[in-house]
Amino acid sequence: VGGRRTRTSATGVPGKLYDLPRRRGGCAAGTERRSNFRDAVERLTALLRPYRLLYLSYRHEQTEAAVTHILALNCSIAGETSVSRALVAETILRLREKHPEASLTLRDLGEAPVAHLTPDTVAGVRGVPATDAELATQALSDSLIAELEQADIVVIGAPMYNFSIPTSLRAWFDHVLRPRVTFSYSESGPQGLMKGKRAIVVETRGGLYSEGPSKAVDFQEPYLRQLLAFIGITDVTFIHAEKLGFGPEARELAVQSATTRIVEAVV
Ligand SMILES: Cc1cc2nc3c(=O)[nH]c(=O)nc-3n(C[C@H](O)[C@H](O)[C@H](O)COP(=O)(O)O)c2cc1C
């Protein structure tokens, strides 16, 4: 039981599928000891299931019409063992099953980082470029923005590093958040210009941040939500793989649950 299969996606990116056994009886003491509360939750879940299916089919229609190009970003420094990279590959695989005609740009910021802005290059993004270094930075920014502009769906693999995002992903945003190109200032405040796109963000974390005491120090999800919203991408699905540092069983469960969420997100 359990076991892990690896397959190669249509993109050539290895995707990992995790088959885990279902937990028998729902809790260690067996079904007869389930609480009334749990029964009530199950009844409510069953009651809401038709509405959830309706919602998923609505999402299906919304996404099906739109997807002709996918931009996928990875930034883990963990190479082949990266969970976010495997889940991004799984997301691409599922998207391309639904949209076989969709083309793909895969940018791996972990393997090939975009340089951080420096005093020598910042004018390429936030000023008037004049030097070779500034012009080269503007050209890089132009091409990263073109990749984004082309995409209907952006898939981002974002590990949590020190409560936030890897600096390589931040460097990508530093090149892509560009005044008058991806956002502008109007009388009513800043306006995102990258409208009509959807994002699926896979967040991997060693600990638990979606609930409990560490929720307050999750600077990863609110930050990513703001960065994307600032350039006009507000249709964002966040998928978590949490407690990856809690041992192999917790890790497998986290990956299995994230994979289920990916399947639902891509309907
Ligand atoms: C530099 C660094 C900092 C990290 N900081 C955190 C952290 O603040 N909170 C956390 O839960 N996990 C932290 N982790 C653990 C990663 O989030 C976890 O290993 C996750 O699986 C990384 O994604 P990946 O497998 O795609 O590389 C950190 C890992 C590294 C390498």
Side-chain angles (χ1 to χ4, degrees), residues 120-201:
D120 288 339
T121 60
V122 65
V125 176
R126 299 267 176 159
V128 182
T131 67
D132 286 351
E134 290 165 352
L135 288 164
T137 297
Q138 186 186 50
L140 175 60
S141 167
D142 284 345
S143 69
L144 295 176
I145 290 169
E147 284 175 5
L148 176 62
E149 208 156 25
Q150 213 190 346
D152 311 298
I153 292 203
V154 189
V155 181
I156 302 177
M160 178 183 277
Y161 286 173
N162 294 318
F163 311 105
S164 184
I165 60 174
T167 57
S168 57
L169 184 56
R170 168 58 194 271
W172 182 86
F173 277 108
D174 285 349
H175 284 74
V176 163
L177 270 60
R178 216 162 113 198
R180 295 173 299 283
V181 182
T182 55
F183 71 91
S184 65
Y185 291 107
S186 67
E187 277 178 14
S188 55
Q191 280 226 324
L193 302 177
M194 297 280 104
K195 298 227 182 270
K197 300 185 191 305
R198 184 180 173 215
I200 299 176
V201 181

Side-chain angles (χ1 to χ4, degrees), residues 29-230:
T31 47
E32 69 279 8
R33 290 181 60 195
R34 282 186 305 186
S35 69
N36 288 339
F37 175 72
R38 195 187 166 99
D39 287 343
V41 169
E42 282 181 1
R43 277 202 299 277
L44 188 64
T45 308
L47 204 67
L48 292 176
R49 193 165 291 130
Y51 299 100
R52 188 157 174 278
L53 289 175
L54 265 178
Y55 169 73
L56 290 176
S57 108
Y58 165 77
R59 281 304 294 258
H60 176 55
E61 280 166 25
Q62 296 298 303
T63 44
E64 184 132 64
V67 181
T68 60
H69 188 75
I70 304 160
L71 170 63
L73 303 174
N74 280 306
C75 58
S76 168
I77 50 171
E80 285 293 301
T81 63
S82 159
V83 175
S84 61
R85 200 170 272 120
L87 292 172
V88 164
E90 185 67 24
T91 310
I92 295 169
L93 188 77
R94 299 286 175 178
L95 280 169
R96 295 194 88 188
E97 274 171 9
K98 295 282 171 194
H99 309 282
E101 77 293 348
S103 49
L104 171 74
T105 300
L106 186 58
R107 188 165 273 276
D108 198 321
L109 302 161
E111 301 287 330
V114 168
H116 286 285
L117 296 175
T118 68
D120 288 339
T121 60
V122 65
V125 176
R126 299 267 176 159
V128 182
T131 67
D132 286 351
E134 290 165 352
L135 288 164
T137 297
Q138 186 186 50
L140 175 60
S141 167
D142 284 345
S143 69
L144 295 176
I145 290 169
E147 284 175 5
L148 176 62
E149 208 156 25
Q150 213 190 346
D152 311 298
I153 292 203
V154 189
V155 181
I156 302 177
M160 178 183 277
Y161 286 173
N162 294 318
F163 311 105
S164 184
I165 60 174
T167 57
S168 57
L169 184 56
R170 168 58 194 271
W172 182 86
F173 277 108
D174 285 349
H175 284 74
V176 163
L177 270 60
R178 216 162 113 198
R180 295 173 299 283
V181 182
T182 55
F183 71 91
S184 65
Y185 291 107
S186 67
E187 277 178 14
S188 55
Q191 280 226 324
L193 302 177
M194 297 280 104
K195 298 227 182 270
K197 300 185 191 305
R198 184 180 173 215
I200 299 176
V201 181
V202 178
E203 294 177 325
T204 48
R205 296 132 172 221
L208 176 66
Y209 295 83
S210 62
E211 58 184 274
S214 295
K215 191 171 180 177
V217 293
D218 172 9
F219 302 108
Q220 177 193 34
E221 184 161 321
Y223 188 39
L224 278 168
R225 193 185 293 283
Q226 168 62 18
L227 287 165
L228 291 167
F230 195 71

